[in-house]
Amino acid sequence: MQGGIDDLTATKAMGMGSWRLKGSMDPPFEGLTAQVEGLWRHMLDRDLKLYPMDKKYKYLDSLDPERTAGMWGYTDIKPPDKGDPRWPRMQIENRCYQSSVFRKLHIELAHRQDGLQVIHCVMYPRTEYDLPILSFDMVGNNGRVSLVCIDPCPVAADRSLPPIYVSLVRQLQQQYHLENNRAVPPWGKEIFSDLCIIIRPSASEELANFVKYTIALTQAHLQLSRQTSQVQSNKSSRLAEIKAGHKRYAAQHLKNGSTRGVLAAAFTPEFADEYMTNVMFDTPQE
C-alpha cells in the first residue's frame, strides 16, 4: 500500500473493528482475533473472499433467537438479571472467508453473561490440497483463560504430518516454551496430531507464549499454503484419504458433548445439532 500502512498494521491498530462483540471480550480474545484475521487479510490479500454463510448464523443471541432485533438492535436488549429464566445471555458471532486454497476460514466468538468466553478458529483447506486442518480454541471463565488448544490436525489416515510440518511445529514449540499440561479429550484422539498443544495456562507468560505461537503457526501455515500445489487427479487414493480425513475431523468434533451442552442450554438441543453440523464442523460437498 503506497503512501500508507499495510493491511496487517491497520488491522492491529483497529483491533476487532466492526465485530459486534468488540468490547465484550477480554483482551486476549480480542487481540488474538484481530491478529489472526489480520494475517488472513494481509497474506491472502485479493485471494481472500467472503464465504457464503447463511446470514442467520452471523450473529446469534439467546435473548433474540428469532433475530427480530435487526442488525444492530442487540445493543438495545437489556441483559437479564441473575435469577431471570433467560439468564445467562449467550451471544455468538461468526466470520467466514475462503480462498483458492482454503475452503473455509472460520472464526467464532462466544460470550456468555456469566463469564464464559470462547474463540474457536478452523482453517479448512480444500480437499484437493494436502494440508493439515489448522484449528485452535481459547476458553475463558470470569476473566481468566482456563484452556487453550491448537493443532495442525492431520488428514492422513495414520495421523501423520508432512515432515516439513513436524520440523516447523517442533521448532516453534521450543521457541515459545510450550508443554502440555492437559490430556487430549477422548473424542480428539482420532484427529489431533502428536504435536497438539493443550494447556491450562497457569501464568500470564504461558498464555502470552501460546498467543505468540498461535500467530506464528498461523503465519507459517499460510506461507506453506502458498507453496502447495493441488494433488494430481490421477492420485485417487491420496485424494480419497484426504477427503476421509476431513470427514473424520468433523465427525469426531461432533462428539464433543461440552460444546453441544453449552449451545443446547443457551438455545435448544435441535439448534445445537444444526449449528455444529452446518457452521462449526461441516464437511465439503462431494
Side-chain angles (χ1 to χ4, degrees), residues 51 103-104 124-125 127 133 242-254 275-286:
Y51 180 86
R103 175 181 69 85
K104 184 178 181 182
Y124 290 100
T127 55
I133 304 171
I242 292 171
K243 290 179 180 179
H246 281 250
K247 290 180 179 179
R248 182 177 64 248
Y249 176 90
Q252 289 302 116
H253 271 287
L254 290 174
Y275 179 77
M276 290 181 70
T277 303
N278 294 337
V279 180
M280 299 182 75
F281 307 114
D282 58 321
T283 52
Q285 296 180 351
E286 296 293 340

Side-chain angles (χ1 to χ4, degrees), residues 31-52:
L32 186 54
T33 299
Q35 294 202 59
V36 169
E37 190 175 23
L39 279 173
W40 291 352
R41 293 178 182 274
H42 177 67
M43 297 188 68
L44 298 176
D45 198 23
R46 294 183 180 181
D47 191 32
L48 187 69
K49 313 293 182 185
L50 288 176
Y51 180 86

Side-chain angles (χ1 to χ4, degrees), residues 46-164:
R46 294 183 180 181
D47 191 32
L48 187 69
K49 313 293 182 185
L50 288 176
Y51 180 86
M53 178 174 59
D54 191 319
K55 65 180 181 181
K56 72 179 182 179
Y57 298 126
K58 291 183 178 180
Y59 172 75
L60 305 167
D61 191 333
S62 63
L63 297 186
D64 184 30
E66 301 301 323
R67 296 170 292 278
T68 59
M71 182 174 180
W72 298 104
Y74 72 95
T75 58
D76 298 324
I77 299 176
K78 181 182 177 182
D81 296 325
K82 191 172 184 178
D84 187 308
R86 300 174 301 159
W87 188 91
R89 181 186 190 182
M90 181 83 168
Q91 296 166 276
I92 300 174
E93 188 169 5
N94 292 288
R95 286 193 178 179
C96 290
Y97 302 92
Q98 62 182 337
S99 74
S100 57
V101 175
F102 292 98
R103 175 181 69 85
K104 184 178 181 182
L105 300 161
H106 176 210
I107 301 183
E108 173 204 80
L109 293 179
H111 180 277
R112 198 169 67 186
Q113 193 179 357
D114 62 354
L116 176 68
Q117 297 187 28
V118 178
I119 176 173
H120 166 75
C121 179
V122 186
M123 300 174 64
Y124 290 100
R126 298 186 186 276
T127 55
E128 304 86 55
Y129 292 88
D130 195 351
L131 286 169
I133 304 171
L134 182 61
S135 63
F136 67 83
D137 294 88
M138 180 186 289
V139 180
N141 284 283
N142 298 313
R144 183 181 183 277
V145 174
S146 55
L147 180 71
V148 292
C149 178
I150 183 169
D151 190 46
C153 298
V155 294
D158 62 359
R159 295 190 306 110
S160 64
L161 289 168
I164 189 172

